[in-house]
Amino acid sequence: QVQLVESGGGLVQPGGSLRLSCVASGFTFDYYAVGWFRQAPGKERGGVSCLFESDDDTYVADSLKGRFTMSRDADKNTVYLQMNNLKPADAAVYYCATDRSLAYGCIDRLYEYWGQGTQVTVSS
């Protein structure tokens, strides 16, 4: 049974940083597509960053490049999303997702397994 559990969300001031974690059980992240997505109130869920079979093949949403970095720790079966210089527009529920047959793509409908999400609030 595949399970994903996110953590690390919370309240942060504008300009601050957070690191989100997603731990997997029931399978290993190593060779599968895994991504971070986010959904703000009243908005559609969108792709933030995704990793594929090779960690060198990474997608980051254009508007987030330079501030958000995704990484994978195979030993801990965990993926991370480092978020720096956070803005109020980054406030959302952040979800981790994975798919065992996807080669490439950072679109939510392509991903089969999802975590429960973690709330990120950016406010002074």
Side-chain angles (χ1 to χ4, degrees):
Q1 182 180 357
V2 175
Q3 286 191 320
L4 303 175
V5 179
E6 303 99 331
S7 62
L11 173 63
V12 63
Q13 292 186 342
S17 297
L18 283 175
R19 188 177 79 157
L20 306 183
S21 300
C22 175
V23 180
S25 60
F27 82 110
T28 58
F29 270 140
D30 275 10
Y31 304 110
Y32 300 118
V34 57
W36 286 99
F37 299 81
R38 69 183 184 183
Q39 186 169 24
K43 295 188 177 181
E44 293 186 353
R45 188 166 55 190
V48 172
S49 183
C50 296
L51 292 174
F52 306 100
E53 182 174 357
S54 167
D55 287 358
D56 293 333
D57 193 6
T58 305
Y59 167 87
V60 180
D62 286 343
S63 62
L64 303 177
K65 288 179 180 177
R67 297 195 298 123
F68 286 24
T69 303
M70 184 175 179
S71 60
R72 174 163 39 196
D73 185 332
D75 291 339
K76 296 182 179 179
N77 209 25
T78 300
V79 293
Y80 303 98
L81 182 68
Q82 178 67 43
M83 306 185 294
N84 297 327
N85 190 21
L86 282 160
K87 307 176 187 299
D90 295 317
V93 178
Y94 283 71
Y95 298 92
C96 173
T98 192
D99 191 275
R100 293 180 291 186
S101 62
L102 180 63
Y104 192 81
C106 204
I107 301 172
D108 59 350
R109 60 180 172 81
L110 301 177
Y111 287 74
E112 181 177 4
Y113 300 101
W114 290 81
Q116 81 289 349
T118 186
Q119 177 72 51
V120 171
T121 303
V122 184
S123 176
S124 54

